[in-house]
Amino acid sequence: MLVMTSIKAPSIVILTGAGISAESGIQTFRASDGLWHNHRIEEVATPEGFAQNPSLVHEFYNARRKQLHDPAIQPNAAHLALARLERNYPGKVLLVTQNVDNLHERAGSKQLIHMHGELNKIHCQQTGQVYNWDRDLSTTSTCQCCHQAGNLRPHIVWFGEMPLQMEEIYRALMACGLFISIGTSGQVYPAAGFVQIAQQAGARTVELNLDPTSNSAMFDESLNGTASQLVPSYVDQLLS
Ligand code: OAD
């Protein structure tokens, strides 16, 4: 009896960071003009900062949420290429983003995890209930679940908090055949450690970034250039 064997396409896990959205007009964090040069992390991106000055934290995220609604902010060629990869690749593709913008979903990506939360969502600190939110949030905004003001906060994972859907991410990393890291400086864990987990699982690892990063030596291949140039041509190669 003849048995047909098919070679399964290796599953792919992609990690993206602020660099993929830079050419869409969204600031990165650690560049000389980046967000962390004009704002103190402890003040705007920690639970302690929020407890101390919630208005300042709301102001910071309100400005960033508002920017997402600017018609000039659109997905770029790199976001679109990753959505095309998911649509046309014969195996599994999971996109894990550290970004809190919505450019991947607007480009058409569906298998997407926002491990650091989303600007267009908020949650109640008392019940954990998550709400879609596209306007300004303030200390007087009232919660639909507990009907109190002051309990709502941006649905953003702050320093010292656990990123979202980690079990699902680790499961995918341990089963992947290819791991691609795009536009991230590799300074923030646990995301910065994904390359090692994928490597231990036997995956090929590739970094696509504007500059070399402190993690570059860990990757099997590291290419430097803009995301809008590197990502579409890398996706073409994967699909050919
Ligand atoms: P960073 O600002 O640390 O790094 C952005 C990376 O993108 C840098 O390595 C740049 O060289 C690269 N880059 C810039 N422009 C690019 C382009 N056009 N094409 C390709 N690469 C480009 O941002 P992240 O690594 O995403 O977390 O930061 C990780 C986390 O730190 C963020 O999710 C955020 C931050 O604190 C929270 O706020 C919880």
Short mmCIF file of all heavy atoms in Angstrom, two decimals, residues 17-20 22-23 28-31 36 45 98-99 116 156-159 183-188 208-211 213 225-227, ligand 1:
data_model
loop_
_atom_site.label_atom_id
_atom_site.label_comp_id
_atom_site.label_asym_id
_atom_site.label_seq_id
_atom_site.Cartn_x
_atom_site.Cartn_y
_atom_site.Cartn_z
N GLY A 17 7.64 44.73 18.07
CA GLY A 17 7.79 45.81 19.04
C GLY A 17 7.57 47.15 18.35
O GLY A 17 7.18 47.20 17.16
N ALA A 18 7.86 48.20 19.08
CA ALA A 18 7.53 49.55 18.62
C ALA A 18 8.12 49.89 17.24
O ALA A 18 7.55 50.70 16.50
CB ALA A 18 8.01 50.56 19.65
N GLY A 19 9.24 49.26 16.88
CA GLY A 19 9.89 49.57 15.60
C GLY A 19 9.01 49.30 14.40
O GLY A 19 9.14 49.96 13.37
N ILE A 20 8.07 48.34 14.53
CA ILE A 20 7.23 48.03 13.36
C ILE A 20 6.21 49.14 13.11
O ILE A 20 5.76 49.34 11.99
CB ILE A 20 6.53 46.64 13.47
CG1 ILE A 20 6.05 46.20 12.07
CG2 ILE A 20 5.38 46.65 14.45
CD1 ILE A 20 5.66 44.75 11.96
N ALA A 22 6.90 52.41 13.85
CA ALA A 22 7.60 53.70 13.76
C ALA A 22 7.29 54.40 12.43
O ALA A 22 7.04 55.62 12.41
CB ALA A 22 9.10 53.49 13.93
N GLU A 23 7.29 53.63 11.35
CA GLU A 23 7.04 54.26 10.04
C GLU A 23 5.56 54.61 9.83
O GLU A 23 5.22 55.26 8.85
CB GLU A 23 7.55 53.35 8.93
CG GLU A 23 9.06 53.25 8.92
CD GLU A 23 9.55 52.06 8.12
OE1 GLU A 23 9.68 52.19 6.89
OE2 GLU A 23 9.77 50.98 8.73
N THR A 28 8.74 55.26 19.07
CA THR A 28 9.23 54.11 19.83
C THR A 28 9.48 54.58 21.27
O THR A 28 9.19 55.73 21.61
CB THR A 28 10.52 53.53 19.21
OG1 THR A 28 11.54 54.51 19.28
CG2 THR A 28 10.29 53.10 17.76
N PHE A 29 10.02 53.70 22.10
CA PHE A 29 10.22 54.05 23.51
C PHE A 29 11.63 54.55 23.80
O PHE A 29 11.84 55.51 24.52
CB PHE A 29 9.93 52.83 24.41
CG PHE A 29 8.49 52.45 24.38
CD1 PHE A 29 8.02 51.49 23.50
CD2 PHE A 29 7.58 53.08 25.22
CE1 PHE A 29 6.68 51.15 23.46
CE2 PHE A 29 6.24 52.76 25.18
CZ PHE A 29 5.78 51.80 24.30
N ARG A 30 12.64 53.87 23.20
CA ARG A 30 14.01 54.10 23.66
C ARG A 30 14.88 54.88 22.67
O ARG A 30 16.07 55.06 22.94
CB ARG A 30 14.65 52.76 24.03
CG ARG A 30 13.96 52.16 25.24
CD ARG A 30 14.43 50.79 25.66
NE ARG A 30 13.66 50.39 26.84
CZ ARG A 30 12.43 49.89 26.81
NH1 ARG A 30 11.84 49.70 25.64
NH2 ARG A 30 11.79 49.59 27.92
N ALA A 31 14.30 55.35 21.57
CA ALA A 31 15.07 56.21 20.66
C ALA A 31 15.32 57.54 21.34
O ALA A 31 14.70 57.84 22.37
CB ALA A 31 14.28 56.41 19.36
N TRP A 36 10.17 57.26 26.32
CA TRP A 36 10.80 57.20 27.65
C TRP A 36 11.87 58.27 27.85
O TRP A 36 12.51 58.33 28.88
CB TRP A 36 11.36 55.81 27.95
CG TRP A 36 10.34 54.71 28.10
CD1 TRP A 36 10.58 53.39 27.91
CD2 TRP A 36 8.96 54.81 28.49
NE1 TRP A 36 9.43 52.65 28.14
CE2 TRP A 36 8.42 53.50 28.50
CE3 TRP A 36 8.09 55.86 28.82
CZ2 TRP A 36 7.10 53.21 28.83
CZ3 TRP A 36 6.77 55.58 29.14
CH2 TRP A 36 6.29 54.28 29.15
N ALA A 45 4.06 54.33 33.93
CA ALA A 45 3.92 52.94 33.50
C ALA A 45 4.15 51.95 34.63
O ALA A 45 4.72 50.87 34.42
CB ALA A 45 4.87 52.67 32.33
N GLN A 98 4.14 43.43 21.39
CA GLN A 98 4.29 44.21 22.63
C GLN A 98 3.59 45.55 22.46
O GLN A 98 3.49 46.32 23.41
CB GLN A 98 5.77 44.46 22.92
CG GLN A 98 6.57 43.19 23.17
CD GLN A 98 8.07 43.49 23.13
OE1 GLN A 98 8.67 43.81 24.14
NE2 GLN A 98 8.68 43.38 21.96
N ASN A 99 3.15 45.83 21.24
CA ASN A 99 2.57 47.14 20.96
C ASN A 99 1.13 47.24 21.45
O ASN A 99 0.37 46.28 21.35
CB ASN A 99 2.61 47.44 19.45
CG ASN A 99 4.04 47.47 18.94
OD1 ASN A 99 4.98 47.56 19.74
ND2 ASN A 99 4.23 47.39 17.65
N HIS A 116 1.16 43.18 25.99
CA HIS A 116 1.26 44.34 26.90
C HIS A 116 -0.03 45.16 26.94
O HIS A 116 -0.01 46.31 27.38
CB HIS A 116 2.45 45.24 26.49
CG HIS A 116 3.80 44.63 26.77
ND1 HIS A 116 4.98 45.14 26.30
CD2 HIS A 116 4.14 43.53 27.51
CE1 HIS A 116 5.99 44.39 26.72
NE2 HIS A 116 5.50 43.41 27.44
N ILE A 156 -3.38 48.34 30.06
CA ILE A 156 -1.97 48.32 29.67
C ILE A 156 -1.23 47.55 30.75
O ILE A 156 -1.52 47.74 31.94
CB ILE A 156 -1.39 49.77 29.62
CG1 ILE A 156 -2.17 50.67 28.66
CG2 ILE A 156 0.11 49.76 29.31
CD1 ILE A 156 -1.96 50.41 27.20
N VAL A 157 -0.32 46.68 30.34
CA VAL A 157 0.48 45.96 31.33
C VAL A 157 1.64 46.86 31.73
O VAL A 157 2.47 47.23 30.90
CB VAL A 157 1.02 44.63 30.73
CG1 VAL A 157 1.92 43.92 31.73
CG2 VAL A 157 -0.14 43.73 30.31
N TRP A 158 1.66 47.25 32.99
CA TRP A 158 2.72 48.13 33.47
C TRP A 158 3.88 47.32 34.03
O TRP A 158 3.77 46.12 34.29
CB TRP A 158 2.14 49.07 34.55
CG TRP A 158 1.23 50.13 33.97
CD1 TRP A 158 1.39 50.76 32.77
CD2 TRP A 158 0.04 50.66 34.56
NE1 TRP A 158 0.38 51.67 32.58
CE2 TRP A 158 -0.45 51.64 33.66
CE3 TRP A 158 -0.64 50.44 35.75
CZ2 TRP A 158 -1.60 52.37 33.92
CZ3 TRP A 158 -1.78 51.17 36.01
CH2 TRP A 158 -2.27 52.13 35.10
N PHE A 159 5.01 48.00 34.22
CA PHE A 159 6.19 47.34 34.78
C PHE A 159 5.84 46.79 36.16
O PHE A 159 5.17 47.45 36.95
CB PHE A 159 7.38 48.31 34.84
CG PHE A 159 7.96 48.55 33.48
CD1 PHE A 159 7.51 49.60 32.69
CD2 PHE A 159 8.88 47.66 32.94
CE1 PHE A 159 8.01 49.78 31.40
CE2 PHE A 159 9.38 47.84 31.65
CZ PHE A 159 8.95 48.91 30.89
N GLY A 183 11.52 44.70 15.08
CA GLY A 183 11.38 46.05 15.63
C GLY A 183 11.29 46.13 17.13
O GLY A 183 10.51 46.93 17.66
N THR A 184 12.09 45.31 17.82
CA THR A 184 12.11 45.42 19.29
C THR A 184 13.54 45.41 19.77
O THR A 184 14.38 44.66 19.26
CB THR A 184 11.27 44.31 19.97
OG1 THR A 184 11.42 44.42 21.39
CG2 THR A 184 11.64 42.92 19.52
N SER A 185 13.81 46.27 20.78
CA SER A 185 15.19 46.41 21.27
C SER A 185 15.60 45.24 22.17
O SER A 185 16.76 45.12 22.53
CB SER A 185 15.31 47.72 22.04
OG SER A 185 14.44 47.71 23.16
N GLY A 186 14.65 44.41 22.58
CA GLY A 186 14.98 43.27 23.43
C GLY A 186 15.43 43.68 24.83
O GLY A 186 16.26 43.03 25.45
N GLN A 187 14.85 44.75 25.33
CA GLN A 187 15.24 45.25 26.66
C GLN A 187 14.26 44.83 27.73
O GLN A 187 14.53 45.02 28.91
CB GLN A 187 15.26 46.79 26.66
CG GLN A 187 16.13 47.41 25.62
CD GLN A 187 17.56 47.54 26.11
OE1 GLN A 187 17.79 48.03 27.20
NE2 GLN A 187 18.48 47.08 25.32
N VAL A 188 13.07 44.36 27.33
CA VAL A 188 12.03 44.11 28.33
C VAL A 188 11.65 42.62 28.35
O VAL A 188 11.30 42.05 27.31
CB VAL A 188 10.78 44.98 28.02
CG1 VAL A 188 9.65 44.69 28.99
CG2 VAL A 188 11.15 46.46 28.10
N LEU A 208 14.67 40.98 12.64
CA LEU A 208 14.59 42.03 11.61
C LEU A 208 14.45 43.35 12.37
O LEU A 208 13.44 43.59 13.02
CB LEU A 208 13.37 41.82 10.70
CG LEU A 208 13.18 40.44 10.05
CD1 LEU A 208 11.89 40.39 9.24
CD2 LEU A 208 14.36 40.07 9.17
N ASN A 209 15.47 44.18 12.32
CA ASN A 209 15.45 45.41 13.13
C ASN A 209 16.31 46.48 12.45
O ASN A 209 17.25 46.17 11.73
CB ASN A 209 16.02 45.11 14.53
CG ASN A 209 15.57 46.10 15.56
OD1 ASN A 209 14.38 46.16 15.88
ND2 ASN A 209 16.46 46.92 16.08
N LEU A 210 15.97 47.71 12.75
CA LEU A 210 16.72 48.83 12.16
C LEU A 210 18.21 48.75 12.51
O LEU A 210 19.07 48.88 11.64
CB LEU A 210 16.13 50.15 12.68
CG LEU A 210 16.62 51.43 12.03
CD1 LEU A 210 16.32 51.45 10.54
CD2 LEU A 210 15.98 52.64 12.70
N ASP A 211 18.48 48.53 13.79
CA ASP A 211 19.88 48.48 14.25
C ASP A 211 20.13 47.12 14.90
O ASP A 211 19.19 46.48 15.36
CB ASP A 211 20.13 49.52 15.37
CG ASP A 211 19.51 50.86 15.04
OD1 ASP A 211 19.94 51.45 14.06
OD2 ASP A 211 18.59 51.29 15.79
N THR A 213 20.77 44.79 18.00
CA THR A 213 20.31 44.95 19.38
C THR A 213 21.23 44.14 20.30
O THR A 213 22.07 43.37 19.82
CB THR A 213 18.87 44.42 19.56
OG1 THR A 213 18.90 43.00 19.40
CG2 THR A 213 17.92 45.04 18.55
N GLY A 225 17.58 46.95 8.83
CA GLY A 225 16.92 47.80 7.83
C GLY A 225 15.57 48.21 8.37
O GLY A 225 15.21 47.86 9.51
N THR A 226 14.82 48.96 7.59
CA THR A 226 13.51 49.38 8.08
C THR A 226 12.51 48.23 7.94
O THR A 226 12.58 47.43 7.00
CB THR A 226 12.97 50.59 7.29
OG1 THR A 226 12.86 50.21 5.92
CG2 THR A 226 13.88 51.79 7.42
N ALA A 227 11.56 48.19 8.86
CA ALA A 227 10.56 47.13 8.84
C ALA A 227 9.78 47.14 7.52
O ALA A 227 9.47 46.08 6.97
CB ALA A 227 9.60 47.30 10.02
P1 OAD B 1 12.01 50.13 21.90
O1 OAD B 1 11.77 51.57 21.73
O2 OAD B 1 12.78 49.69 23.09
O3 OAD B 1 12.77 49.54 20.63
C1 OAD B 1 12.34 49.77 19.32
C2 OAD B 1 13.29 49.05 18.36
O4 OAD B 1 12.79 49.28 17.05
C3 OAD B 1 14.73 49.59 18.38
O5 OAD B 1 15.64 48.48 18.46
C4 OAD B 1 14.88 50.32 17.04
O6 OAD B 1 16.18 50.20 16.48
C5 OAD B 1 13.86 49.58 16.18
N1 OAD B 1 13.30 50.40 15.08
C6 OAD B 1 13.05 51.74 15.07
N2 OAD B 1 12.52 52.11 13.89
C7 OAD B 1 12.44 50.98 13.13
C8 OAD B 1 11.99 50.71 11.81
N3 OAD B 1 11.49 51.65 11.02
N4 OAD B 1 12.07 49.43 11.37
C9 OAD B 1 12.56 48.44 12.16
N5 OAD B 1 13.01 48.64 13.41
C10 OAD B 1 12.94 49.89 13.90
O7 OAD B 1 10.56 49.43 21.83
P2 OAD B 1 10.15 47.94 22.26
O8 OAD B 1 11.27 46.99 22.10
O9 OAD B 1 8.87 47.64 21.59
O10 OAD B 1 6.25 48.27 27.33
O11 OAD B 1 9.86 48.14 23.81
C11 OAD B 1 9.40 47.05 24.57
C12 OAD B 1 8.48 47.52 25.65
O12 OAD B 1 9.12 48.55 26.42
C13 OAD B 1 7.20 48.20 25.16
O13 OAD B 1 6.18 47.28 24.85
C14 OAD B 1 6.81 49.08 26.30
C15 OAD B 1 8.17 49.61 26.66
O14 OAD B 1 8.35 50.03 27.96
C16 OAD B 1 5.35 48.81 28.19
O15 OAD B 1 5.03 49.98 28.18
C17 OAD B 1 4.80 47.83 29.16
#
